[in-house]
Amino acid sequence: MRQNTYYHLGDCYLKTDQKRLARTAFKAAAEIDAVPAVTEDAAYNYAKLAYELADPFQDAITTLNNFLKDYPQSPHQTKINSFLANLYITTKDYDRALAAIQRAGLNTPEMRGAYQRICFYRATELFNSRQYQAAIAKYQEALSYSENNRISALSQYWLAESFYRMLEYDKALKAFEKFRKSSGAANLPEFGFSYYNSGYAHYKKLDFKNAAVDFRQFVGGISTNDVAVADAYLRLGDSYLLTSGYLVAADFYKKALQNGTAEADYAYYQRAICLGLAGNRTQKIDELEKLLRNFPNSNRAEE
């Protein structure tokens, strides 16, 4: 009778939206082992309310895990694991969130979508801590699900970035290309920057012709005066200089200066070299004089 009273009291509190009092009543009913079915259902309601109230999170996580341990055959196992997954996501404990979803099962689009999203979060966490190999594995795992096109595209982009950071430029180039062909990728801000990174991958491989192609795609698609734009103009200048396109290179060094490059002394010097190689001696002298006037302490001024 005492267990039954606590259980119905909890139900009354729940129906009048007094969840904290309901949680206390269901907890009391769950602690009385008189009628096993009532004990289990009271424990489930207590765990569910612990999740909904979740203050602090760790108490709710402990309560949910205790339910899973005490009632391994409960039909509520899937729901409890989904609650746990959400709490682990909130606390950024992505590995445990993935484990909880696996226990709950990947039988629905919602659960597969959640699993894909958490794989991406975990991969990004690993990327930010420079664990690129581990990040690659998680991005690839996220890509094995197709529930969310945006997550798939972003996973492909950061997979490419991970390969680039590991100096695996060929793999990075293929991954960036695949990203650009991904559904919805063209609408992401990363789309334009994928050309910037592809340009650098070619540049690092000393493939200056293709580097110039990608850097031009980048500067042509970015409307803001981003720091990367000025840098891309510098690399365009370098790429054309190294493939004997001296006047084109000089023009890109000028654009780097117009976009506020942090390496202005370098841009002036390289532009002067290009103009000299193109036979424009007077313009070369003008650029060198600008370098001396604006950056008298630069190492290039001494040259």
Side-chain angles (χ1 to χ4, degrees):
M1 288 179 65
R2 189 158 61 94
Q3 182 186 46
N4 201 42
T5 300
Y6 277 127
Y7 182 85
H8 286 292
L9 182 61
D11 191 45
C12 290
Y13 280 136
L14 196 57
K15 288 177 179 176
T16 55
D17 201 32
Q18 300 180 72
K19 291 185 176 181
R20 293 185 185 280
L21 292 172
R23 180 178 61 179
T24 301
F26 281 126
K27 183 176 186 294
E31 291 172 346
I32 301 171
D33 191 16
V35 181
V38 174
T39 303
E40 180 178 338
D41 199 58
Y44 170 68
N45 279 290
Y46 170 60
K48 184 180 177 183
L49 287 165
Y51 165 72
E52 291 178 3
L53 297 170
D55 54 347
F57 290 119
Q58 197 55 50
D59 287 350
I61 288 171
T62 300
T63 300
L64 293 169
N65 275 315
N66 286 340
F67 181 87
L68 293 175
K69 182 178 66 176
D70 294 339
Y71 302 99
Q73 304 304 319
S74 172
H76 300 303
Q77 284 268 326
T78 297
K79 195 66 177 176
I80 293 293
N81 274 306
S82 68
F83 291 159
L84 266 176
N86 288 334
L87 288 176
Y88 284 136
I89 293 169
T90 302
T91 57
K92 297 185 178 181
D93 192 341
Y94 299 127
D95 284 333
R96 285 194 172 92
L98 291 171
I101 291 178
Q102 285 177 328
R103 290 195 302 269
L106 296 165
N107 303 320
T108 65
E110 291 77 17
M111 295 304 283
R112 290 193 295 273
Y115 193 84
Q116 179 191 25
R117 188 174 70 254
I118 300 164
C119 279
F120 173 75
Y121 292 157
R122 177 57 176 148
T124 303
E125 189 176 59
L126 291 164
F127 179 91
N128 290 334
S129 61
R130 301 184 181 182
Q131 299 179 61
Y132 301 123
Q133 192 63 60
I136 286 169
K138 274 292 177 236
Y139 283 130
Q140 289 173 332
E141 190 174 359
L143 285 165
S144 66
Y145 298 89
S146 56
E147 270 63 31
N148 187 313
N149 288 337
R150 183 175 180 275
I151 294 295
S152 293
L154 288 171
S155 295
Q156 188 64 49
Y157 176 83
W158 291 105
L159 174 68
E161 272 281 2
S162 299
F163 281 131
Y164 180 84
R165 300 294 178 92
M166 293 184 68
L167 312 183
E168 296 188 31
Y169 301 125
D170 288 328
K171 289 183 179 179
L173 286 165
K174 288 179 182 177
F176 279 127
E177 182 64 25
K178 196 170 181 179
F179 160 73
R180 288 190 285 270
K181 292 177 180 177
S182 299
S183 176
N187 298 320
L188 296 172
E190 288 82 0
F191 186 81
F193 279 92
S194 72
Y195 284 110
Y196 177 73
N197 295 322
S198 289
Y200 256 110
H202 285 302
Y203 191 86
K204 297 286 187 179
K205 292 180 63 186
L206 307 183
D207 181 359
F208 301 115
K209 182 178 178 181
N210 282 314
V213 171
D214 282 338
F215 282 128
R216 291 190 80 145
Q217 283 278 4
F218 171 66
V219 297
I222 299 293
S223 58
T224 58
N225 188 15
D226 192 274
V227 173
V229 173
D231 182 66
Y233 279 128
L234 278 182
R235 299 292 80 84
L236 275 164
D238 293 342
S239 297
Y240 278 102
L241 171 58
L242 292 164
T243 52
S244 303
Y246 304 128
L247 289 177
V248 178
D251 186 51
F252 280 122
Y253 286 127
K254 182 178 180 180
K255 287 183 177 179
L257 289 164
Q258 290 171 340
N259 279 269
T261 176
E263 299 179 67
D265 58 335
Y266 175 79
Y268 277 122
Y269 183 79
Q270 293 294 97
R271 179 170 160 76
I273 294 296
C274 291
L275 291 168
L277 290 170
N280 297 335
R281 182 177 175 80
T282 301
Q283 285 184 282
K284 175 183 177 179
I285 292 171
D286 286 344
E287 292 302 310
L288 290 174
E289 286 177 345
K290 289 177 186 177
L291 170 61
L292 291 170
R293 186 166 58 250
N294 294 320
F295 302 96
N297 298 319
S298 169
N299 291 333
R300 292 183 177 86
E302 295 175 3
E303 295 179 22

